[in-house]
Amino acid sequence: MVNEIVVASLIVTGTAFQADPDVKKLEAACAWHLSNFEAGGPDYCEIARQLARDKKWDSIQVVFARGRCNKFQAELAREIVSVSSGADAVMFLKTLTEGSRAWHLGALHVPKNPDAAVSAYLKEVVRDKGPEARATCYAVCQERKWPDLLEQARTDSMSTERYSLDAGFKVWSFALADAAKSYRVELGDLPKDTPITRPQVRSLVPPRLPGQPLFPPSK
């Protein structure tokens, strides 16, 4: 488990972790790709996967906290979670902002085998967090056909909450109720002909600038 007080102290003082070869290697690979987008080079995804396999969570935490890999955070989160156990994946996801793009991609790649730690975490999120995060949890369980969230999904099927997805030139607005209903239909908890509304175009927006999140930050 990451000692958050120690990590915060090291970030503020700029001491030991600045010389951490794992941190420097991953940050350098991300910086290289940012400058040479299509030219190959060091694979920052593989570096992130190896850090997760080696359980170097202190280094991973510092990389994310320092913000020098912001453009790649979603991809890094995906790779880190994809090679982690359920308990490790949950520990890492809790360091991210629920509903953010990095958290969303990470959550979608939790282990596909039933896992008590993952199940408990998803239940916690759908009980306490915003509509973006809850919709992601329903998508995770729908894809895996896990019944873990059916009770909360029955409640959210009557929700009037909406969440947005910035897809570049358009901002799509989705109903949380539809995410819950779609999950329930897949699990056989609702008839297959249950009406699911189409997402709405909330507004037209300029193209996203480099580094801007695909998903809006959680409130």
Side-chain angles (χ1 to χ4, degrees):
M1 182 66 69
V2 176
N3 186 322
E4 295 180 359
I5 296 176
V6 172
V7 170
S9 174
L10 289 168
I11 293 169
V12 171
T13 58
T15 55
F17 275 109
Q18 285 193 0
D20 184 329
D22 296 319
V23 172
K24 293 176 69 175
K25 186 176 181 181
L26 183 52
E27 289 184 343
C30 288
W32 196 96
H33 277 270
L34 195 60
S35 300
N36 304 273
F37 185 64
E38 295 180 349
D43 184 353
Y44 62 91
C45 289
E46 177 53 37
I47 296 171
R49 288 192 294 268
Q50 193 58 52
L51 290 179
R53 292 189 193 104
D54 294 341
K55 297 183 180 293
K56 294 186 175 180
W57 300 109
D58 51 359
S59 297
I60 290 171
Q61 177 77 358
V62 171
V63 167
F64 275 73
R66 277 158 60 97
R68 296 185 182 179
C69 300
N70 279 349
K71 181 175 174 59
F72 302 95
Q73 279 197 358
E75 290 80 3
L76 294 175
R78 176 193 64 206
E79 299 302 321
I80 289 165
V81 172
S82 69
V83 298
S84 299
S85 68
D88 284 343
V90 168
M91 180 189 69
F92 171 68
L93 288 170
K94 285 183 175 181
T95 69
L96 305 177
T97 301
E98 289 90 353
S100 67
R101 177 65 172 165
W103 182 88
H104 171 79
L105 272 188
L108 289 177
H109 288 79
V110 294
K112 293 193 174 183
N113 57 300
D115 184 283
V118 172
S119 175
Y121 178 60
L122 296 178
K123 289 177 181 178
E124 174 187 327
V125 172
V126 298
R127 185 180 65 244
D128 298 333
K129 303 302 179 180
E132 293 93 349
R134 281 144 68 196
T136 297
C137 292
Y138 291 137
V140 170
C141 289
Q142 178 175 332
E143 194 269 337
R144 291 160 174 75
K145 295 182 171 57
W146 291 345
D148 305 55
L149 307 183
L150 282 175
E151 182 177 354
Q152 183 62 38
R154 291 169 189 141
T155 299
D156 278 341
S157 293
M158 298 179 286
S159 173
T160 60
E161 293 181 273
R162 301 190 71 85
Y163 61 100
S164 298
L165 168 61
D166 179 353
F169 289 95
K170 296 178 181 179
V171 175
W172 295 96
S173 176
F174 295 84
L176 176 63
D178 288 332
K181 289 177 184 177
S182 179
Y183 165 55
R184 292 177 62 195
V185 168
E186 184 66 32
L187 270 291
D189 195 54
L190 281 178
K192 290 189 178 297
D193 60 355
T194 298
I196 306 293
T197 59
R198 294 174 59 83
Q200 303 169 2
V201 179
R202 193 186 72 189
S203 65
L204 297 178
V205 296
R208 285 181 294 116
L209 298 174
Q212 283 186 329
L214 179 60
F215 284 81
S218 297
K219 300 297 183 184

